Amino acid sequence: NGTTEEVKKIVTTLNEAEVPSEDVVEVVVSPPFVFLTLVKSLLRSDFHVAAQNCWVRKGGAFTGEISAEMLVNLGIPWVIIGHSERRALLNESNEFVGDKVAYAVSQGVKAIACIGETLEQRESGSTMAVVAAQTKAIAEKVTNWENVVLAYEPVWAIGTGKVATPAQAQEVHCELRKWLNDNVNSEVAASTRIIYGGSVNGANCNELAAQPDVDGFLVGGASLK
């Protein structure tokens, strides 16, 4: 999304917003690659910038891809990896996403790693099996979880107007935390932020935020308003 004019307008809105201090809430905005430096140059210093994706390993002959090293060079501290749209439309596998997260983190870029199930998977009762497999692929490659944020995005709730109920979101977030506790360690389970994405907006965010295991949001369409 976006033109230079639209992006500048959103940044102005963000710059004027009243937001709690960084020790309360960390704000990260993720424009398309072509606007990264523009946004970084205009955005208030207490907000940070993320890329929407990056390449799986060191740069080279991979036309059209952007490497983690380039993000570091531009001073971009965050990257979103494995968004459901990339998994679905570009066939990024669990393993590929795990490799990407590990490589970005190894280069000093913090990763927002996305996981989530489709409507078909939820209706067949395999939600936890799906998100556990996606998380396992990341856990097998990542040694330091300090710079990883997990974003649970039920695919059936992205841009559809359907939102997971606060109870549904909490249930999955709680199970993910248990998974980290059992398969990584209790410290990682307690400290890793698990954020929710899927038709989050101003009307439903307070109720979702009240859930004990929902640590923040990955906001999609509503972020353009």
Side-chain angles (χ1 to χ4, degrees):
N1 278 290
T3 61
T4 302
E5 288 67 36
E6 287 166 352
V7 167
K8 282 180 175 172
K9 200 173 156 190
I10 293 172
V11 170
T12 301
T13 304
L14 290 168
N15 286 344
E16 291 168 355
E18 282 186 43
V19 177
S21 64
E22 280 185 275
D23 56 347
V24 178
V25 61
E26 193 165 9
V27 178
V28 178
V29 298
S30 188
F33 285 124
V34 290
F35 300 123
L36 281 175
T37 47
L38 173 70
V39 171
K40 189 176 189 300
S41 70
L42 298 174
L43 192 67
R44 56 201 276 181
S45 62
D46 57 330
F47 287 7
H48 302 286
V49 181
Q52 295 182 4
N53 176 49
C54 69
W55 179 240
V56 67
R57 50 188 158 272
K58 201 171 191 291
F62 307 106
T63 301
E65 288 297 323
I66 309 286
S67 68
E69 288 86 348
M70 289 178 189
L71 299 181
V72 171
N73 181 244
L74 293 176
I76 305 298
W78 285 93
V79 64
I80 297 172
I81 292 179
H83 190 279
S84 64
E85 286 151 10
R86 296 196 64 87
R87 289 175 183 266
L89 302 173
L90 294 149
N91 300 317
E92 293 194 3
S93 68
N94 291 353
E95 292 67 35
F96 189 62
V97 170
D99 283 335
K100 276 186 161 186
V101 172
Y103 190 75
V105 170
S106 78
Q107 296 307 302
V109 185
K110 301 175 193 178
I112 298 166
C114 303
I115 56 179
E117 84 285 15
T118 63
L119 185 60
E120 197 180 20
Q121 289 164 334
R122 174 162 280 266
E123 286 177 344
S124 70
S126 55
T127 292
M128 262 331 287
V130 170
V131 295
Q134 290 169 334
T135 309
K136 180 172 184 274
I138 295 164
E140 282 174 346
K141 303 282 168 58
V142 168
T143 47
N144 178 11
W145 280 79
E146 213 173 298
N147 290 327
V148 178
V149 169
L150 276 185
Y152 168 60
E153 296 194 297
V155 182
W156 47 273
I158 298 174
T160 58
K162 285 184 182 176
V163 186
T165 63
Q168 283 174 318
Q170 167 58 22
E171 182 186 18
V172 177
H173 283 233
C174 180
E175 287 296 329
L176 280 167
R177 217 175 283 290
K178 278 186 198 153
W179 190 94
L180 290 173
N181 184 72
D182 297 346
N183 297 277
V184 185
N185 61 55
S186 57
E187 198 183 334
V188 165
S191 63
T192 299
R193 288 173 286 180
I194 306 176
I195 64 177
Y196 172 78
S199 296
V200 174
N201 58 46
N204 59 34
C205 61
N206 287 339
E207 200 182 353
L208 286 161
Q211 302 304 311
D213 289 299
V214 175
D215 302 320
F217 301 118
L218 185 58
V219 184
S223 67
L224 298 172
K225 299 180 178 68

